[in-house]
Amino acid sequence: MVETLGIHDSVAQVFPPETLAAYLREEAPSPDLDVVVVEAGDRDALADCDALVTFAYDEAFLAADLEWIHSVQAGVDRFPFEELEARNVALTNSTGIHGDSVGDTVAGYMLSFARRLHRYRDQQADREWSWPAHDEPFSLRGERLCIVGLGGLGRGIAARADALGMEVVGVKRTPTPVEGVDEVYRRDQLHEAIGDARFVALAVPLTPETEGLVGADEFHAMREDAYLINVARGEVVVQQDLVDALDDEIIAGAALDVFETEPLPEDSPLWDLEEVIVTPHAAAAHREYGERVGAIVVESLRRLERGEGYANRVV
């Protein structure tokens, strides 16, 4: 039974901790639930918690005798699964709440490249009034998008691309049909899937299988006028191979929300490439982020009261 639920102050990277605390105090099934904000490094406050909602991972979590940890992100690659399992600590995530915000962001990237909006924004800073070359702008209608990973994020991307009139294909481990996706390929058909796509969007979780999934061979398999979009994890792409592919014009450009090192170092060449859009791991940002996380946490609390399992359990 969860009597004290902590909110680690690392969630401030995506929303104010008190936003979530207020939601949980209002919506939790038990009026006796104590919701506290735990500052990083406060081991005493952490030890008083039965469960913790967090953005970051700290080794102190293992020593705190927690029953349950909830990640505000869908990706949980930063958490040590084996150690948590050995200590019988449940781990849950926030998958399912980011599809619309990430889908909107990816649609924005594609519209920016197609309509040259990123270039106009750069020109605005220089008060430059000029049209692009006549053959640069295009419409998204009829263009092919390949989404690698058709979970919650991928389906959100697919829905928006389909509404824009794009031809949508995807890649997933089990090639079962997905709404809004015209054709689904297996992972071992990756090169075939991306080979004729104007846009390739990565939306897979980071696992040993997906680390380094896209490198030099994959860039050579793509069209010269193709754009890579990464809203997965930085390590899914071999970043130096991407820089080389952009420098050598093997692909046309990239929209990147995630990187091998975050924040992206100031000396990274990606900052200076005209056909690269850099965003600060913010594709899922939403003013209702805290409440959306809270809804999943509350569902788990309700299930626990009924003697059922956690929502979105990973470990």
Side-chain angles (χ1 to χ4, degrees):
M1 189 70 175
V2 176
E3 296 181 356
T4 302
L5 176 61
I7 302 173
H8 197 259
D9 67 358
S10 64
V11 305
Q13 296 186 57
V14 287
F15 57 80
E18 274 303 328
T19 298
L20 176 57
Y23 180 94
L24 292 173
R25 291 177 185 129
E26 180 71 23
E27 301 294 335
S30 171
D32 298 325
L33 179 70
D34 187 20
V35 181
V36 298
V37 175
V38 178
E39 295 184 4
D42 189 341
R43 291 176 179 258
D44 291 337
L46 186 62
D48 290 336
C49 296
D50 303 303
L52 186 71
V53 180
T54 186
F55 175 87
Y57 172 72
D58 189 308
E59 289 185 1
F61 296 171
L62 291 175
D65 198 28
L66 296 166
E67 299 173 15
W68 165 35
I69 297 173
H70 180 81
S71 167
V72 303
Q73 293 183 295
V76 288
D77 47 273
R78 69 187 66 190
F79 293 89
F81 287 15
E82 292 183 1
E83 288 89 339
L84 292 172
E85 189 170 7
R87 289 169 172 78
N88 200 30
V89 180
L91 175 64
T92 58
N93 70 359
S94 297
T95 190
I97 69 170
H98 304 113
D100 58 352
S101 50
V102 172
D104 288 351
T105 301
V106 172
Y109 293 147
M110 294 190 295
L111 285 165
S112 185
F113 286 129
R115 305 309 309 150
R116 315 310 289 154
L117 303 181
H118 61 303
R119 296 285 293 277
Y120 299 143
R121 184 67 182 183
D122 291 345
Q123 290 174 193
Q124 180 178 337
D126 298 327
R127 291 173 169 77
E128 178 185 343
W129 183 279
S130 64
W131 275 47
H134 78 279
D135 58 352
E136 286 188 15
F138 58 96
S139 172
L140 292 182
R141 179 170 294 278
E143 293 290 350
R144 183 180 175 105
L145 163 67
C146 177
I147 306 168
V148 184
L150 289 169
L153 299 187
R155 292 194 299 272
I157 296 167
R160 284 145 182 82
D162 182 55
L164 288 166
M166 301 182 73
E167 178 189 357
V168 184
V169 301
V171 178
K172 63 194 294 273
R173 183 181 291 106
T174 305
T176 51
V178 175
E179 185 176 357
V181 179
D182 300 310
E183 187 173 2
V184 180
Y185 294 83
R186 301 186 309 271
R187 283 270 182 90
D188 61 3
Q189 296 175 302
L190 177 62
H191 285 201
E192 180 182 351
I194 66 179
D196 196 33
R198 188 65 178 269
F199 296 95
V200 174
L202 306 178
V204 292
L206 178 62
T207 66
E209 185 181 9
T210 63
E211 185 173 0
L213 179 69
V214 177
D217 290 345
E218 286 68 40
F219 293 125
H220 280 93
M222 292 167 62
R223 291 164 44 171
E224 291 183 1
D225 62 352
Y227 294 89
L228 177 76
I229 298 171
N230 191 3
V231 290
R233 283 290 187 269
E235 295 89 341
V236 172
V237 175
V238 182
Q239 191 162 293
Q240 186 56 55
D241 288 354
L242 171 60
V243 171
D244 293 342
L246 292 164
D247 283 341
D248 296 340
E249 299 183 355
I250 293 169
I251 62 172
L256 308 169
D257 190 53
V258 290
F259 306 88
E260 287 181 347
T261 301
E262 295 181 6
L264 184 64
E266 290 185 10
D267 60 355
S268 172
L270 293 170
W271 288 112
D272 301 317
L273 295 174
E274 194 170 51
E275 287 302 303
V276 171
I277 298 174
V278 169
T279 54
H281 204 150
H286 196 291
R287 62 185 178 184
E288 297 176 0
Y289 201 137
E291 290 87 346
R292 292 180 174 198
V293 169
I296 297 176
V297 174
V298 167
E299 176 59 24
S300 282
L301 291 170
R302 288 176 179 152
R303 292 187 184 189
L304 289 174
E305 286 206 340
R306 298 194 298 262
E308 300 171 359
Y310 298 90
N312 287 5
R313 184 165 186 169
V314 180
V315 173

